[in-house]
Amino acid sequence: MADQAKVTSIDALESFRATLVRYLERARRSLDDVGGEVRRTRTWLDGDRRMHWDQQAKIRARKLAQAEQELYSVRLTDTHGVHALQKMMVLKARRAFDEAEEKQRVIKQWHRKFDQSVEPMLKRLESTQELVSLHLPLALASLDGSIRLLESYAEAHAPAPQPPP
């Protein structure tokens, strides 16, 4: 076994350290972005879209009831039986209301599918976040310690300057 270690490139370790720091910053930013997108999507789905279509269903139900009431009123007052406009208005309002109900059903399905498909990925994301937030900083600290140790070793065992002949 040799009495001396041959340290030739501490610069390579420092370069690797700098690359690791950049990777760590980018990974944290990317993981935060992904987590934010998941939260925004869930909020959009649970809050914005659900509230929008619930409100639309109420509005459209009122319009349907109003159109049906107008058709009923016209039938009572008009004995000639010409109710084409009111019937078309009822059909239009019925289609709009049915569309809102369908959207509500679709949003409920999306909610279930979102949870089923995103939850397993979020668990993997959490393990990656743990790696980035806990383990990589420890590796970085260990690398810093190794660099300092090698630098002090290299300084202590540097060859003595040769006197000029």
Side-chain angles (χ1 to χ4, degrees):
M1 190 156 105
D3 294 330
Q4 222 177 3
K6 190 171 184 178
V7 177
T8 58
S9 181
I10 296 174
D11 293 339
L13 287 174
E14 289 173 346
S15 173
F16 174 69
R17 182 197 177 284
T19 303
L20 185 60
V21 167
R22 284 192 303 275
Y23 171 79
L24 194 57
E25 290 169 0
R26 289 179 186 158
R28 281 182 180 152
R29 199 174 323 119
S30 295
L31 290 170
D32 288 344
D33 289 348
V34 168
E37 283 299 317
V38 168
R39 283 188 300 277
R40 280 188 291 280
T41 302
R42 183 181 299 274
T43 300
W44 176 80
L45 189 58
D46 291 345
D48 183 63
R49 290 296 86 195
R50 180 168 285 171
M51 287 187 329
H52 171 76
W53 286 110
D54 286 349
Q55 184 180 29
Q56 285 297 311
K58 288 176 187 175
I59 291 169
R60 292 174 185 195
R62 274 188 249 126
K63 286 182 180 179
L64 175 60
Q66 181 182 0
E68 287 172 340
Q69 182 61 40
E70 287 175 11
L71 175 61
Y72 179 73
S73 296
V74 168
R75 280 185 179 160
L76 288 177
T77 59
D78 186 8
T79 56
H80 299 300
V82 181
H83 315 112
L85 179 63
Q86 283 74 24
K87 286 181 182 179
M88 284 192 323
M89 295 301 287
V90 169
L91 278 174
K92 183 179 176 184
R94 167 73 56 202
R95 282 190 204 116
F97 177 71
D98 290 345
E99 178 193 25
E101 283 187 324
E102 178 60 25
K103 295 287 186 176
Q104 286 177 312
R105 281 191 293 276
V106 167
I107 287 172
K108 286 178 185 175
Q109 288 174 348
W110 285 354
H111 181 74
R112 283 191 299 274
K113 287 179 183 178
F114 185 84
D115 287 342
Q116 291 170 355
S117 60
V118 171
E119 287 300 322
M121 289 184 254
L122 282 178
K123 290 199 184 312
R124 282 185 267 166
L125 183 68
E126 287 173 7
S127 66
T128 305
Q129 283 177 323
E130 181 180 333
L131 174 74
V132 168
S133 62
L134 297 176
H135 298 292
L136 285 180
L138 291 175
L140 194 59
S142 177
L143 188 59
D144 284 340
S146 296
I147 290 170
R148 281 194 306 275
L149 208 75
L150 287 171
E151 284 174 341
S152 66
Y153 180 82
E155 288 173 10
H157 293 87
Q162 298 288 331

